[in-house]
Amino acid sequence: LDIQFAMSLPDVIDRILPRTAAVLRETALFGLLVGGSAAGWAAQWIRGQSIRNDPHLDWSPIGSRGSSSTHNGDAPTDVSSANPCLRPLRLRGVTLKNRIVRAAAFGGGTIDQLITTHVEVAKGGAALTTVAYASVSATGRTFSSQLVLTEEAVPSLRRLTGAVHAAGGKIAIQLTHAGAFANRGVTGVTQIAPSCTFNPAGWDFAREMTDAEADDIIRQFATAAAVAVDGGFDAVELHVGHGYLLSQFLTPFCNRRSGKYGGPTTADRLACPLAVLRAVRASVGDDVPIIVKMNVTDGLPSPGWGLTLSDAIEAARGFEQGGADALVLSGGTVSRSGFAMLTGDVPRFDMARAMPGWLSAIGLIFFGWLYVPEIPFEEAFFRGQARAVLSAVERIPVGLIGGVTTVATINGALSEGFGFVQMARALIRQPDFVRRIELAAKTPDLTIASPCIHCNQCVVATLDPNRPVECPERRAGQSTPAPDLTEW
């Protein structure tokens, strides 16, 4: 009875005035998190187990299932490598030199900072490095220095991409729009979303966008993608995860609309993200790879609230059929399950000190245990859901992300059929991680591991513009000896 009530409650309260309905939905979600019939779920969440506690999923160590590689993007090559992670990968018109990609994570608030961050990764040997949080619209930003993809930005973008190419790397850019949690203090306007939604990050409300506004956002993604290609980027990544706008369209809790871009089914809610994918493909042409980063879990109760695994599988198939060249399987919702995509320590008080407003800081201190719970780190923590999606995707490479820190895990993932891995914190801690693999013996060195301790202090830089974009452990000199990289 409780489950039936949880499934039907959003539909009931949606009949009330939009803001009242948004408050009631948020209150109901709060109740599901901390009490009532969901007390067991909440306890699991607080202990950090909820996103990987499904007994029907395979949580065995990566690489223990044997080979199932059918669509992992192997590029034709006459060069055999003893280490699978160093084999090339073909994505449409681009060949990557290995299977290790720097995930989209904050790299700085200026072009010069971005150049420093991404050139270092390219010199360190990663096949592709990804610039994070490039907004397709000035009204979709979450922070004031956020990169907005306009024609005026092209000269700066070419500086960045030229520097990465000169360092021997390739570079992608992540296209995004914050939707409901855009920062109106930065944008100066009320944020828009699939449905009227309460925004915990700003303690305000997003209004429901019209179909015409949704159509305009689709055009903005297409225009931004064209700017990215003009700026010299080798690939684009659509952010359909972490509770950003395209992810909001897929999440039942956030998308209560009917009609063109909403409805009761996953296919209904997938309509807008798929329209964006098709528009971006038309904009960038046939040779530029489009990577789709999507959630396998929102870190919210489901069904009826967050994305279910069956939803994620249907969405992945839709993106494959819609023209995506690769998928990256992540999870979590920035404004409601903020560390589900990270796990590890939560530097809550450091984050609160860096928050732009005192109300948000107080909210983080008192309610952070609920919306930003500490989830114990476990390597490859999305592997169960990712395996389920991988088995449903037939033709394009699927990337594993989430706590990938060792060569053993990387090569194990490849042996299971994943096409590549994405890493962020490990490469922030040790940008030359890939070069260390290359300089190792010509046989797989399964002992190579990142010294990242998952303290997540690097995350604080996304909130504090005065904080350096770096790993404090690395700054303190607590790194393994660097190899001789004089060829840089």
Side-chain angles (χ1 to χ4, degrees):
L1 292 177
D2 287 334
I3 293 175
Q4 292 175 354
F5 181 70
M7 290 176 64
S8 60
L9 181 58
D11 297 317
V12 172
I13 62 181
D14 245 12
R15 298 177 183 274
I16 309 171
L17 293 175
R19 287 199 177 189
T20 304
V23 170
L24 289 178
R25 278 200 302 273
E26 198 73 32
T27 303
L29 175 62
F30 187 91
L32 283 175
L33 292 174
V34 298
S37 61
W41 183 91
Q44 289 176 351
W45 176 256
I46 294 169
R47 288 198 305 269
Q49 299 173 7
S50 69
I51 63 171
R52 48 182 189 277
N53 201 38
D54 189 334
H56 302 293
L57 294 177
D58 181 1
W59 295 108
S60 58
I62 281 287
S64 63
R65 303 197 315 160
S67 176
S68 61
S69 177
T70 58
H71 52 277
N72 65 356
D74 281 326
T77 177
D78 295 328
V79 180
S80 61
S81 170
N83 202 323
C85 68
L86 298 180
R87 293 173 183 161
L89 171 69
R90 184 76 174 177
L91 293 179
R92 201 168 277 260
V94 175
T95 298
L96 305 183
K97 61 186 177 183
N98 59 57
R99 303 304 180 98
I100 300 173
V101 175
R102 204 272 198 183
F106 186 70
T110 68
I111 287 293
D112 287 339
Q113 289 175 337
L114 291 173
I115 289 173
T116 298
T117 296
H118 293 284
V119 165
E120 188 174 42
V121 173
K123 288 181 176 180
L128 180 72
T129 185
T130 312
V131 177
Y133 314 133
S135 184
V136 302
S137 167
T139 58
R141 292 174 295 160
T142 55
F143 56 98
S144 59
S145 61
Q146 188 170 356
L147 179 63
V148 180
L149 291 176
T150 63
E151 288 293 340
E152 291 74 23
V154 168
S156 295
L157 297 178
R158 289 176 179 170
R159 281 185 58 216
L160 169 59
T161 57
V164 169
H165 292 152
K170 295 189 184 299
I171 184 167
I173 191 163
Q174 182 185 69
L175 310 184
T176 193
H177 188 296
F181 70 94
N183 187 339
R184 66 174 63 179
V186 171
T187 66
V189 298
T190 299
Q191 63 270 39
I192 57 176
S195 299
C196 178
T197 307
F198 176 70
N199 170 30
W203 288 69
D204 50 31
F205 290 88
R207 68 171 176 83
E208 180 172 317
M209 68 178 67
T210 64
D211 286 349
E213 287 172 323
D215 291 337
D216 189 50
I217 283 175
I218 292 168
R219 288 189 290 270
Q220 289 172 2
F221 270 92
T223 300
V227 168
V229 173
D230 192 19
F233 286 92
D234 301 289
V236 296
E237 179 180 280
L238 299 183
H239 200 352
V240 196
H242 300 177
Y244 281 79
L245 178 59
L246 299 185
S247 177
Q248 291 163 28
F249 271 100
L250 273 172
T251 301
F253 180 82
C254 299
N255 186 353
R256 311 301 308 169
R257 67 194 293 129
S258 59
K260 190 175 181 181
Y261 296 120
T265 70
T266 305
D268 293 330
R269 298 190 302 274
L270 186 60
C272 186
L274 273 182
V276 168
L277 173 59
R278 296 188 185 103
V280 168
R281 169 57 65 209
S283 178
V284 301
D286 294 333
D287 293 331
V288 178
I290 301 175
I291 302 166
V292 173
K293 186 173 189 175
M294 57 169 285
N295 275 6
V296 291
T297 174
D298 291 328
L300 302 175
S302 57
W305 300 85
L307 200 71
T308 66
L309 184 58
S310 61
D311 292 334
I313 289 172
E314 184 174 347
R317 287 171 171 160
F319 289 131
E320 179 184 34
Q321 295 166 4
D325 297 297
L327 301 177
V328 177
L329 307 177
S330 189
T333 302
V334 170
S335 59
R336 290 180 177 84
S337 55
F339 269 52
M341 73 282 294
L342 294 168
T343 77
D345 297 343
V346 178
R348 194 165 290 119
F349 286 97
D350 289 334
M351 292 169 64
R353 282 193 290 268
M355 294 295 283
W358 64 269
L359 192 60
S360 298
I362 291 175
L364 180 60
I365 291 173
F366 286 99
F367 296 103
W369 63 273
L370 177 65
Y371 288 105
V372 193
E374 185 165 318
I375 305 173
F377 178 81
E378 178 183 352
E379 189 164 16
F381 48 82
F382 287 128
R383 65 189 183 277
Q385 297 104 322
R387 281 166 168 158
V389 175
L390 174 66
S391 66
V393 175
E394 298 178 352
R395 299 186 305 275
I396 61 175
V398 175
L400 181 69
I401 194 174
V404 177
T405 61
T406 68
V407 174
T409 293
I410 298 170
N411 287 338
L414 297 177
S415 75
E416 292 189 13
F418 289 97
F420 59 100
V421 299
Q422 282 200 350
M423 307 168 71
R425 287 171 295 177
L427 295 179
I428 293 173
R429 175 67 176 86
Q430 199 174 55
D432 60 354
F433 179 79
V434 181
R435 189 58 58 89
R436 291 169 187 267
I437 301 172
E438 293 174 344
L439 296 180
K442 298 300 181 180
T443 57
D445 184 351
L446 302 185
T447 64
I448 295 178
S450 167
C452 173
I453 62 173
H454 323 295
C455 66
N456 292 319
Q457 285 290 334
C458 55
V459 177
V460 181
T462 66
L463 302 171
D464 184 357
N466 298 315
R467 190 178 179 110
V469 185
E470 62 183 6
C471 171
E473 292 290 311
R474 181 185 176 204
R475 186 174 69 244
Q478 300 171 10
S479 178
T480 53
D484 180 9
L485 301 177
T486 54
E487 70 272 23
W488 287 15

